[in-house]
Amino acid sequence: MAALNLQKGASSHSAYDLRDPYADIEERHTLAVLVENEPGVLARVIGLFSGRGYNIDSLTVAEVDHQGHRSRITVVTRGTPAVIEQIKAQLGRIVPVHEVHDLTAEGPSVERELGLFKVASTGEQRVEALRTAEIFRAKVVDSTLKSFVFEITGTPEKLDAFAELMRPLGLVDQARTGVAALSRGQ
């Protein structure tokens, strides 16, 4: 009988999740953390990451319940499955943390990021920058005789692609909000 030829990183949404939880494959995960909106909570959450040498790819925070004084911290991080489980467990032990959700593991989710891109160009490059922005559905939010500021919303990959195409056309500066994410469905 032939051995099964299984690829590392098989889908976590399969009924037959045969991935080794201690594998050395780094995965990108989006974590949603519901916390008390009080001074020092963000520092404690960030301290957990920095104290253990975990990296944060993206971080967004906003109050989501004014009456209950709760905020939602959305963290995008990378690590092996064992490291991600450790991060979730350690986040859950911090006192002002109410809930920790791994949106990547829990099923389909929607991720969006807002970016502002300043492009300084003239002549044909200026026209090409406008054409490219139209393809990406970016809006012009500021215009001078020598530059544009484009606003674009989408996945982090879409914003990365837009930045790469704008770089040879005169990309001067960019500001990005970080990922905001919600699970889909019920």
Side-chain angles (χ1 to χ4, degrees):
M1 183 169 192
L4 291 174
N5 185 15
L6 298 174
Q7 299 292 322
K8 282 189 174 183
S11 171
S12 65
H13 303 294
S14 168
Y16 303 100
D17 185 10
L18 301 174
R19 293 182 306 158
D20 177 7
Y22 303 104
D24 56 352
I25 297 174
E26 278 204 355
E27 301 173 342
R28 177 185 176 272
H29 281 255
T30 303
L31 306 176
V33 186
L34 191 63
V35 299
E36 284 293 323
N37 187 13
E38 58 187 40
V41 174
L42 180 61
R44 292 175 70 184
V45 170
I46 301 311
L48 181 143
F49 282 83
S50 65
R52 289 162 181 79
Y54 305 142
N55 191 37
I56 295 174
D57 292 346
S58 172
L59 174 73
T60 58
V61 183
E63 187 176 48
V64 292
D65 180 4
H66 298 295
Q67 294 170 341
H69 301 291
R70 296 205 176 162
S71 292
R72 179 186 177 102
I73 301 173
T74 305
V75 181
V76 179
T77 189
R78 294 181 186 278
T80 63
V83 167
I84 298 298
E85 288 303 317
Q86 186 177 18
I87 290 171
K88 292 189 303 190
Q90 290 170 344
L91 281 171
R93 282 189 232 127
I94 297 175
V95 172
V97 172
H98 292 282
E99 297 174 22
V100 178
H101 295 280
D102 184 349
L103 299 178
T104 305
E106 291 178 5
S109 62
V110 177
E111 292 186 358
R112 290 294 179 265
E113 183 174 6
L114 171 71
L116 297 173
F117 295 87
K118 184 175 185 179
V119 179
S121 58
T122 57
E124 187 57 37
Q125 284 187 325
R126 186 173 172 86
V127 173
E128 186 60 29
L130 284 170
R131 283 189 202 126
T132 304
E134 188 176 326
I135 292 168
F136 278 83
R137 295 188 183 129
K139 295 189 316 188
V140 176
V141 292
D142 184 56
S143 178
T144 67
L145 293 174
K146 296 185 180 182
S147 70
F148 289 112
V149 175
F150 295 106
E151 174 189 297
I152 184 170
T153 306
T155 63
E157 295 79 17
K158 178 181 177 181
L159 273 67
D160 291 341
F162 184 74
E164 282 304 309
L165 290 174
M166 286 298 176
R167 202 163 269 117
L169 299 176
L171 180 64
V172 175
D173 202 4
Q174 61 179 301
R176 294 171 68 162
T177 60
V179 174
L182 283 176
S183 60
R184 296 184 68 206
Q186 301 296 330

